[in-house]
Structures are given as structure tokens and as C-alpha cells.
Amino acid sequence: MIRAKSLYHLILYSIIFIIFLTSSFTFIIIDNAFDDFNEKIQIMKNDYFSKQKDLIEADIRKTTKFIDYYHNKYKDTKTEDEIKNDVLHAIEMMREVENINDYVFIYDFEGTSVYYPISRNNIGKNLYEFTDPTGKRVIKELVDISQKKNGGFVKYIWYKPELKDEALKISYALSYKPWNWTIGKGIYLDEIDALIKEKKKEHDEKISNYILQILSLTIMLVLYSIFIYKNATILIVNDVKEIGRYFKETQKSDTRISQNRLIFGEFKVIANYAYDAMHNIKDKNQMLEGLNKHLEEKVDEQTKALSNLLESQKRFLKNSVHEVNTPLSIIRTNIDLLKRHTPTNKYIANIESGAKIIQYIYDDLSYLIKKDRVEYPKEYINFSEYLIERLNFFDSIAKANDLYFINNIEEDIYIKFNHTELQRIVDNNISNSIKYSKPKSPIYIRLSYFNDEIVEFSVKTNSEMIENKEKIFSDFYRENNSRGGFGLGLRIVKEICDKNLVIINLDSNDKDTKFTYRFRINENTTS
């Protein structure tokens, strides 16, 4: 968008816009007029050719009817030659001699010229193989088409006596079969050019008038713009300058502008609004100055309070996690002792399942606390054995939720990875599969080689479709709030995978959801 920096620029842009608008308008008018002219010329040509073709066809049909009438009338009293001579004489007498381009020609079916008034030297000559400059065998095509039931038209190049040169011509030919005659008449197609030239001249004059009218309007608009520039803009600029001087004066004295100093009423209103706005600004500045005196102190106090609160929360979380570890170990030890005496007690199994869930949450919180200040070195891990071990850990939890595992784990798959970080990836995926699977459905666990350098680990469940795949790895995000959890597990998984260049793929639909992880076997680079 063009922005005028001053009224002078605005007038200049207006004049340029007027010139552009009138130029575009002129071009559109000329283009439309040209298209209209071409359309009319084409219609004129079609009408001319159609009428001329109808005329020559009518002439030839009248001529053949005359020949047929005369032949039948005198065939018993005169010889064929006498009748033919009388017919040719009558055709000659009916010809308009002053129009040398208007004539009838007659050939027999062998191509021999019988009647050709323009060049009598050709009468008696066989022109069956005669060709025009394009190679068309003109006489042959005329003879052939004349023998059809209704005759026909042939377009070709022929000598035009008026021009003394060759021109495009179209002829209609019809046969009189009792004498094996081809009778025809033609028109030269260049005769329309004179009419077109006349129409083009009229068209050019019309366009010239359009252009003259538009130019006159353009000049008037430009002159009007200059008038506005010389008068109204100068007055407006004077008022603007006067308001500018008033603003400078108000820095020293607090008085309204005198209405007599301005010409336009709109600028008087603007000056009054500006005066009111300046007073409001001064009042608010005084209020802000009073507030700012104590603002820094309050901000410092609140900042210290928030810092202390965050530090207290961190200490609480750290101490809580530490304190949970001891009773959790005692509970699990006692559960193991109880299972030795009553291995099939369902209440003990439920207690064990709950203890394992607490253990899994404890491991997540412990990792969150330590991850920024503890190094996690890599080592070669038997992924196959480790995954089976974790499935055994979660087996009682799955059974407590009416679920069961179906695993497809290839043996002796090793990867170079940190043991703690691998546990967080595996445990979070298995825990989520138990948490969100539909009752009495299987959980599919798969571990296999993807290729020589990559191992693929996947968990597939029969669960609700995940709607927001992009948010599922965000902090505290849970699609189903009715189930337990803090929404931190997959965020931890995402951080570990990003750090270790593990590729994550999530595929979820109405039937099942599948998380797939691709580990580099010997990857030793972190990002």
C-alpha cells in the first residue's frame, strides 16, 4: 500500500492514479472495440460468402433448368449440336459483359473446355490435369463434384482478369448428365477486402474519437487536481503548521488554542481533543510517578518470596522421593515373604501391583530430580533380556487390570545405551499401555532388528485414538483425565530419545495405538 508522506505527495499520487486509470480505461475500450470489430468483420465475411454462394448456386441451377427445358423442347426438331450452339449462345447473351469477373464456364466430363468466355483460346482444350499453384487439380475436382446429386463447391486459386493476377476463388459446379457437361460459376474471395478496408477506416475513426474524449477528461481531472493542490492543500498545511506551533507553546503555558488561529472546523476539534489528551497524560504521569516509587521494592519482595517457594518445593520433592524409598523397599520385601507362604493370594497380588506402580512413579520422580546433575554413561545392554525382565515386573499389574502381554522378542539384541534411561523409555510405554488399554485386551510387545544398524521396539494396544499427537509428549498433557498419572512420562521419554537420537513414530486410529522406537545399535552421540 502506498503511503503519502505529505499532502503534496498525496496530490502527486492522485494525478498519477488518474493517468493510470484513464490509460487502463482507454486500453480496455480499445481492446473491446477491437474485439467487437473483429467479430463484426468475421460475421460480415461469413454473410458475404454465404450470400454469394447462394447466388452462384441459384444461377447454375437456373442455367441447368434452362438447358434441360430447351433440350427437351427441340430435341425432336433440331440436332444435338444445333441445340448446344443455341444454348451456349443464349448463355453468352445473358452474361453481363461489363463485369468480367462474372461468367459461367462449361467443361465436359473428360475435362475439355466447352464454354469459357474470358479466355476463348482455351475452348476445346483438355484441362483435366490442370493444377493451381497449390497443386490442386481444379478441373478434375469440379467435374467430380458436379456429378454428385446436388453438385458442390470447390475452393482454389485462379486467374482474375480484373487484377491480371491469381486470386482465391470458390465455384459451384453442377452436371447436366445428358450431355456430360459440368456447368459452374465462381466468385473471387478478395472482393470482400474493399468492404473490410472501409469498415476498418470507420473503426479507426471511432477509436480516435474515444481516445480524444478520454484524453479531454484526463486533462480536466489533472487540472482539477492542480487546483486542489494550489488552494485547499495550502490551507490545510497552514492549519497543520499552526497546530504544531500550538503544541510547542503548550509546553510553556497551559492554555487552549485560539479558535481564530485555525481555518477548518475539523482542525479546531482536533486541537481541543489534543489539549484534553495532554491534560490526561499529565495527570496519569503524576499517578505513575507515585506508583513507581514503591514498585521496585514490591517486585523485589515478591521475587524473593517466589524464589523461596520454588526452592522449598524442590527440597520437598527431593526429600519426599528420598523418604518414599525406604518404606517402599520394606513393603516389597514383606510382599516377597508373604508370597512364599501364600503364593496364590489375590489380595497379596493386588498389594504387589500397587507397590510396583508406586515403584514406577518413584523411578520417574527420581530421574526428574537427578537428570540435570547426574551423568548417564552408556554401556552395552542385552535389550532382549532386559525387556523380558521389565515385562515380568509389570505382569502382575497387567493381570490386575484384566490385561495380558503378547510379545515377539528376538534373542540377543544388544544396544549401547544408558541403563536408567532405557528403563524410563520401556517402563513408561508399558505402564501407559496398561493404563489406557481396553479391558481384557492384549498388549503387543515387539523387539527386532530393523536393519544392520537399527533396532526397533514397539508397543501396540487396543485403546482410544489419540487426537493430539503433537501434544502427547508435552508436559502435564493427558488426553484422558479420568485415568491416573501426572502427564510427565512421555515428556521424559521424548527428552531421552531426542538426546540419544532415537526416532519415535506414533500411529493411532479407531482400532489401536502403536508407539515405535528405533535405536541405533552403536550410537554414541548425544544432541
Side-chain angles (χ1 to χ4, degrees):
M1 181 178 178
I2 298 176
R3 295 182 179 179
K5 296 181 179 179
S6 66
L7 291 174
Y8 304 109
H9 288 95
L10 181 61
I11 296 299
L12 178 62
Y13 295 156
S14 299
I15 294 173
I16 294 173
F17 176 73
I18 291 170
I19 294 172
F20 172 76
L21 186 64
T22 52
S23 301
S24 302
F25 186 59
T26 304
F27 174 78
I28 293 171
I29 290 177
I30 294 173
D31 186 62
N32 290 338
F34 181 75
D35 291 341
D36 183 58
F37 173 73
N38 287 334
E39 184 178 352
K40 288 181 179 178
I41 289 298
Q42 190 61 42
I43 294 172
M44 188 186 304
K45 284 183 177 181
N46 293 337
D47 290 345
Y48 174 82
F49 294 148
S50 179
K51 290 177 181 178
Q52 292 299 316
K53 287 168 68 177
D54 291 343
L55 287 174
I56 61 174
E57 182 178 354
D59 284 349
I60 294 303
R61 290 191 179 277
K62 289 178 181 178
T63 301
T64 54
K65 286 182 179 180
F66 165 72
I67 295 173
D68 185 59
Y69 166 76
Y70 195 85
H71 182 204
N72 291 329
K73 183 176 181 180
Y74 294 103
K75 64 182 179 179
D76 296 329
T77 59
K78 294 183 179 182
T79 64
E80 288 287 323
D81 291 338
E82 288 176 338
I83 295 172
K84 289 179 180 179
N85 289 332
D86 290 345
V87 167
L88 294 176
H89 180 71
I91 292 173
E92 177 66 23
M93 294 304 294
M94 288 187 291
R95 185 172 71 89
E96 295 180 10
V97 179
E98 63 275 7
N99 187 356
I100 60 175
N101 295 325
D102 184 22
Y103 58 88
V104 174
F105 56 82
I106 302 174
Y107 294 90
D108 62 20
F109 288 174
E110 301 296 327
T112 301
S113 177
V114 176
Y115 176 74
Y116 189 66
I118 303 303
S119 179
R120 299 184 185 277
N121 295 330
N122 288 333
I123 296 175
K125 292 182 179 180
N126 187 290
L127 303 174
Y128 192 79
E129 298 297 331
F130 174 80
T131 59
D132 70 355
T134 64
K136 179 179 288 188
R137 296 163 69 185
V138 178
I139 307 304
K140 177 184 181 302
E141 291 196 14
L142 287 169
V143 171
D144 290 344
I145 204 167
S146 72
Q147 296 180 54
K148 294 183 178 181
K149 181 179 179 180
N150 295 316
F153 291 90
V154 177
K155 188 182 290 187
Y156 55 93
I157 296 175
W158 198 258
Y159 179 78
K160 185 175 183 181
E162 185 180 1
L163 297 177
K164 295 182 179 180
D165 197 2
E166 293 177 334
L168 188 62
K169 185 176 184 180
I170 187 169
S171 294
Y172 176 77
L174 184 65
S175 66
Y176 183 65
K177 293 184 179 178
W179 290 348
N180 290 337
W181 277 8
T182 293
I183 305 165
K185 186 177 182 179
I187 55 169
Y188 289 95
L189 302 182
D190 64 334
E191 294 179 3
I192 190 68
D193 292 343
L195 182 60
I196 292 174
K197 287 181 181 178
E198 182 180 349
K199 294 295 181 181
K200 189 175 185 304
K201 183 178 179 181
E202 294 177 2
H203 172 264
D204 292 342
E205 290 177 356
K206 184 178 179 181
I207 293 299
S208 298
N209 291 333
Y210 282 154
I211 295 173
L212 183 61
Q213 292 172 8
I214 293 171
L215 287 177
S216 300
L217 177 62
T218 303
I219 292 171
M220 292 175 61
L221 292 173
V222 171
L223 291 175
Y224 176 74
S225 300
I226 294 173
F227 171 78
I228 295 296
Y229 166 74
K230 289 292 185 181
N231 293 277
T233 55
I234 293 176
L235 297 176
I236 292 171
V237 169
N238 288 338
D239 268 9
V240 171
K241 290 180 179 179
E242 191 63 35
I243 290 175
R245 285 193 290 269
Y246 165 68
F247 284 156
K248 291 181 179 179
E249 293 170 2
T250 55
Q251 296 177 1
K252 298 178 180 179
S253 62
D254 190 10
T255 58
R256 289 185 180 272
I257 188 171
S258 174
Q259 301 293 301
N260 295 327
R261 294 173 62 178
L262 302 174
I263 298 173
F264 294 101
E266 290 80 3
F267 286 112
K268 294 177 181 179
V269 174
I270 291 172
N272 288 328
Y273 278 133
Y275 175 81
D276 294 338
M278 290 173 64
H279 267 276
N280 288 332
I281 291 171
K282 287 180 180 179
D283 293 340
K284 290 180 179 179
N285 282 337
Q286 291 175 357
M287 293 175 61
L288 288 173
E289 287 176 0
L291 291 173
N292 286 334
K293 290 180 179 179
H294 304 289
L295 183 61
E296 290 185 2
E297 295 178 0
K298 291 182 179 180
V299 170
D300 289 339
E301 291 176 2
Q302 293 295 327
T303 302
K304 289 179 180 178
L306 287 173
S307 299
N308 293 334
L309 179 61
L310 289 173
E311 188 62 33
S312 298
Q313 288 177 343
K314 289 181 180 179
R315 286 197 302 270
F316 172 77
L317 183 61
K318 181 178 178 182
N319 294 334
S320 297
V321 170
H322 179 72
E323 293 298 329
V324 165
N325 188 34
T326 301
L328 183 61
S329 299
I330 294 171
I331 290 171
R332 293 195 59 184
T333 301
N334 282 276
I335 288 172
D336 290 339
L337 292 173
L338 284 172
K339 284 173 67 178
R340 290 183 180 180
H341 295 286
T342 53
T344 58
N345 189 294
K346 67 176 182 177
Y347 300 108
I348 295 175
N350 290 336
I351 294 171
E352 182 183 20
S353 174
K356 287 182 177 180
I357 292 173
I358 296 173
Q359 179 68 48
Y360 153 71
I361 295 172
Y362 168 81
D363 291 341
D364 263 356
L365 293 175
S366 178
Y367 177 81
L368 278 173
I369 294 170
K370 298 177 181 178
K371 68 183 180 68
D372 295 326
R373 53 190 178 83
V374 175
E375 291 291 333
Y376 291 98
K378 295 184 179 183
E379 58 182 302
Y380 281 102
I381 302 172
N382 188 329
F383 200 168
S384 304
E385 291 183 357
Y386 181 73
L387 183 55
I388 293 172
E389 176 190 329
R390 299 315 296 165
L391 288 176
N392 291 333
F393 176 84
F394 283 97
D395 186 61
S396 59
I397 303 176
K399 288 179 179 178
N401 287 271
D402 289 332
L403 302 171
Y404 58 94
F405 294 113
I406 296 178
N407 61 66
N408 183 3
I409 302 172
E410 294 186 13
E411 295 181 354
D412 296 328
I413 294 180
Y414 285 83
I415 62 171
K416 192 173 184 180
F417 215 82
N418 177 264
H419 192 277
T420 300
E421 292 180 334
L422 182 60
Q423 181 178 348
R424 301 279 38 83
I425 295 174
V426 172
D427 285 10
N428 271 293
N429 277 273
I430 296 176
S431 173
N432 285 341
S433 68
I434 295 172
K435 191 180 301 179
Y436 295 106
S437 288
K438 294 180 180 179
K440 299 181 181 180
S441 65
I443 299 172
Y444 297 92
I445 309 295
R446 180 181 176 85
L447 179 65
S448 61
Y449 285 103
F450 181 74
N451 56 35
D452 292 341
E453 297 180 356
I454 295 176
V455 170
E456 187 173 88
F457 163 61
S458 65
V459 179
K460 186 170 77 170
T461 59
N462 182 8
S463 55
E464 299 293 333
M465 184 174 70
I466 296 175
E467 299 291 343
N468 295 307
K469 296 181 181 179
E470 294 79 10
K471 294 183 179 180
I472 198 68
F473 293 98
S474 301
D475 286 332
F476 306 108
Y477 179 81
R478 290 183 298 152
E479 288 224 338
N480 188 348
N481 291 323
S482 64
R483 310 301 296 266
F486 303 104
L488 288 172
L490 286 179
R491 177 57 185 168
I492 295 172
V493 171
K494 182 70 163 56
E495 285 185 358
I496 295 172
C497 290
D498 288 347
K499 185 177 77 169
N500 294 278
L501 304 180
V502 177
I503 298 172
I504 305 175
N505 183 47
L506 170 58
D507 184 18
S508 184
N509 53 49
D510 295 335
K511 294 182 179 180
D512 50 50
T513 296
K514 183 178 180 181
F515 285 83
T516 304
Y517 300 85
R518 289 179 181 171
F519 296 80
R520 296 173 182 268
I521 295 174
N522 293 303
E523 177 59 52
N524 196 28
T525 304
T526 59
S527 61

